[in-house]
């Protein structure tokens, strides 16, 4: 059974710091990977999608990479801002078109 | 372009009752997936509908059932509600029918509380 671990579970940093959020899968057979943002009590906003032929994706201050040999993904947030405060979820897809999610990293960026 | 919409936003039920949640997919999408997110956890896959059929199902009891309509909208039904069914129910839509993975877009969710 595929399980997903996200480290750290929670993070509190002053604004301006560069951050690294980690995600690892017990089964490295991940073909596609999405990173999501979730504000308290809200739905999921897709941040980045790394498709099967790709190794990384970038959008603005966000960069995500996927190492398929180890089943690990990293989300890098540059120059963090208070508006980045949210829970970040990674989700992998292993060829079945359903997403397997981690439990998330709760991020707080304070001024 | 409307994104994924869900109704209602919040719902309070008592144990043993039945509930129906609704989802309209993003314009142009034909596949709907449902997820359950308990407090403090990541979403768990319930099932997926494509061409009005349940295409695959996660590890949920048959108290959880669904339907997809010809306009691609979908319903999630839960019978004989338990306290443990209290969660945020998320609907995701995508474009199916291909051999490549297509990005899933999520709605705002329905918060179900079972008393």
């Amino acid at each position: 059974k595929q399980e997903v671990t996200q480290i750290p579970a929670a993070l509190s940093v002053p604004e301006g710091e560069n951050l690294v959020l980690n995600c690892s899968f017990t089964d490295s057979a991940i073909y596609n990977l999405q990173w999501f943002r979730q504000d308290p009590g809200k739905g999921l906003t897709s941040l980045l999608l790394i498709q099967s032929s790709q190794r990384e994706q970038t959008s603005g201050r966000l960069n995500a990479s996927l190492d398929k040999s180890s089943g690990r993904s990293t989300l890098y947030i540059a120059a963090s801002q208070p508006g980045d405060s949210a829970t970040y979820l990674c989700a992998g897809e292993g060829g079945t078109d359903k997403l397997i999610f981690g439990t998330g990293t709760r991020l707080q960026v304070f001024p | 372009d409307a994104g994924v919409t869900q109704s209602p936003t919040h719902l309070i039920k008592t144990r043993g009752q039945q509930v129906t949640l609704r989802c309209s997919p993003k314009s142009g999408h034909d596949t709907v997936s449902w997820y359950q997110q308990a407090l403090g956890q990541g979403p768990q896959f319930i099932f997926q509908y494509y061409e009005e059929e349940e295409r695959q199902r996660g590890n949920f009891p048959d108290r959880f059932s669904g339907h997809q309509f010809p306009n691609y909208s979908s319903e999630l039904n839960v019978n004989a509600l338990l306290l443990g069914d209290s969660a945020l129910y998320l609907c995701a839509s995508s474009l199916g029918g291909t051999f490549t993975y297509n990005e899933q877009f999520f709605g705002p969710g329905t918060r179900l509380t079972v008393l």
Side-chain angles (χ1 to χ4, degrees):
Chain A
K1 177 188 172 186
Q2 176 74 275
E3 293 185 356
V4 186
T5 302
Q6 289 192 243
I7 295 173
L11 192 58
S12 181
V13 300
E15 68 176 314
E17 287 205 359
N18 299 323
L19 308 174
V20 176
L21 308 184
N22 297 290
C23 171
S24 63
F25 296 81
T26 52
D27 183 347
S28 61
I30 294 296
Y31 299 149
N32 301 278
L33 184 132
Q34 277 186 259
W35 281 93
F36 294 90
R37 168 186 172 134
Q38 185 173 34
D39 293 292
K42 304 295 184 182
L44 307 182
T45 299
S46 181
L47 298 173
L48 292 165
L49 166 64
I50 303 175
Q51 292 187 298
S52 56
S53 60
Q54 301 168 328
R55 294 185 186 276
E56 69 176 305
Q57 278 288 344
T58 297
S59 176
R61 295 182 293 108
L62 304 180
N63 173 273
S65 62
L66 174 61
D67 180 347
K68 294 185 180 183
S69 63
S70 65
R72 294 176 185 271
S73 178
T74 298
L75 177 66
Y76 178 81
I77 303 175
S80 58
Q81 302 171 357
D84 294 330
S85 299
T87 295
Y88 291 80
L89 293 156
C90 69
E93 187 273 340
T96 61
D97 208 32
K98 68 180 182 185
L99 293 173
I100 308 297
F101 284 84
T103 53
T105 293
R106 293 189 313 278
L107 172 64
Q108 181 180 8
V109 182
F110 53 89
Chain B
D1 178 23
V4 180
T5 59
Q6 293 186 243
S7 63
T9 304
H10 296 89
L11 207 49
I12 299 175
K13 293 285 188 179
T14 57
R15 282 177 295 177
Q17 286 189 310
Q18 179 265 341
V19 67
T20 298
L21 310 181
R22 295 177 177 82
C23 171
S24 291
K26 183 177 168 67
S27 178
H29 285 181
D30 58 7
T31 301
V32 172
S33 302
W34 287 91
Y35 293 81
Q36 179 196 66
Q37 186 179 24
L39 199 61
Q41 301 297 313
Q44 300 288 319
F45 176 79
I46 302 175
F47 43 52
Q48 183 182 80
Y49 277 84
Y50 171 69
E51 292 188 340
E52 303 179 51
E53 298 278 339
E54 184 183 287
R55 183 154 70 172
Q56 58 178 322
R57 186 180 184 92
N59 189 25
F60 279 80
D62 58 11
R63 297 187 298 110
F64 290 76
S65 64
H67 189 77
Q68 186 177 35
F69 299 94
N71 67 352
Y72 307 121
S73 67
S74 177
E75 290 182 346
L76 164 65
N77 301 291
V78 187
N79 294 323
L81 284 167
L82 304 174
L83 296 179
D85 295 332
S86 295
L88 180 68
Y89 287 84
L90 296 162
C91 168
S93 77
S94 58
L95 186 61
T98 68
F99 293 104
T100 58
Y101 174 74
N102 291 289
E103 186 173 4
Q104 294 190 20
F105 293 83
F106 282 77
T110 293
R111 171 71 63 187
L112 172 64
T113 301
V114 181
L115 303 177

